[in-house]
Amino acid sequence: MVARFVPENTVSEFFQAAERLAEQHPVVIVGSSGYGGPLDEAAQRLGEHPNVQWLGHVSDDKKLLSLWHHAGAYFHGHSVGGTNPALVQAMACGAPVVARQTPYNAEVLRADEHLVAPDPLAIESALRRMLTDHDLRAKARAANQARAATHYDWDDVCRRYELTLQEAVLGEKAAKIGSEVRQ
């Protein structure tokens, strides 16, 4: 998991799933609240488990990208804010993603079978399936990399922004002309 420790990022639910996952799989947690508190304390307690590493905030992009690239599964619990850059980066690195079911994550990931409710048991089950099914994991890696490359390259993003702005300007001009004609 890579996240800022706030409730809308499904952190406590992931922590509950991680307790059980760590019995058979290594778990890496990246993030913090930035100010301490109950979620940081829970991460610290989890980090005492021999199969859990809490890295705190990671500002080294190379290290973060490497973690996504080598992940057996990545949980993306963010639930607000539209297209999340961390999700796109994880996909571009080929991380096999399990994400919280939200309209934003569904639009970016386009893999409904890897979307889960914000429930510890659902999160654990989906991650365990990803971690133990080699074919599923390989397909998810390839699909995520291809989707990130096809739909989230900067040239394409800038081109789409430009078209949206042009449509907005032309729409305003068309509305103004229509208003003048009616008068």
Side-chain angles (χ1 to χ4, degrees), residues 82-104:
T83 301
N84 187 283
L87 177 55
V88 174
Q89 287 176 306
M91 291 169 63
C93 290
V97 177
V98 171
R100 179 174 170 168
Q101 172 73 51
T102 70
Y104 311 117

Side-chain angles (χ1 to χ4, degrees), residues 1 9-21 73-77 98-101 114-131:
M1 173 183 220
N9 288 344
T10 323
V11 176
S12 62
E13 294 88 344
F14 173 79
F15 285 176
Q16 291 173 54
E19 286 181 56
R20 292 183 294 277
L21 283 170
Y74 163 63
F75 177 68
H76 183 80
V98 171
R100 179 174 170 168
Q101 172 73 51
H114 302 306
L115 299 173
V116 297
D119 171 76
L121 292 176
I123 294 165
E124 177 192 359
S125 176
L127 287 170
R128 193 175 300 281
R129 181 171 172 241
M130 186 70 78
L131 289 165

Side-chain angles (χ1 to χ4, degrees), residues 165-175:
L165 291 171
Q166 287 175 351
E167 289 171 2
V169 168
L170 292 175
E172 288 179 20
K173 286 182 181 177

Side-chain angles (χ1 to χ4, degrees), residues 30-137:
V30 175
S32 70
S33 68
Y35 51 83
L39 292 173
D40 291 89
E41 291 166 9
Q44 186 170 3
R45 279 191 304 277
L46 268 173
E48 293 170 3
H49 188 287
N51 224 10
V52 177
Q53 287 192 0
W54 176 38
L55 303 180
H57 175 77
V58 173
S59 58
D60 180 344
D61 286 342
K62 188 175 180 180
K63 184 175 192 175
L64 187 57
L65 296 174
S66 180
L67 287 167
W68 277 318
H69 178 74
H70 295 286
Y74 163 63
F75 177 68
H76 183 80
H78 298 66
S79 66
V80 297
T83 301
N84 187 283
L87 177 55
V88 174
Q89 287 176 306
M91 291 169 63
C93 290
V97 177
V98 171
R100 179 174 170 168
Q101 172 73 51
T102 70
Y104 311 117
N105 294 341
E107 180 180 340
V108 173
L109 196 56
R110 293 289 166 135
D112 290 345
E113 70 273 21
H114 302 306
L115 299 173
V116 297
D119 171 76
L121 292 176
I123 294 165
E124 177 192 359
S125 176
L127 287 170
R128 193 175 300 281
R129 181 171 172 241
M130 186 70 78
L131 289 165
T132 58
D133 186 332
H134 174 76
D135 291 337
L136 177 68
R137 193 169 54 254

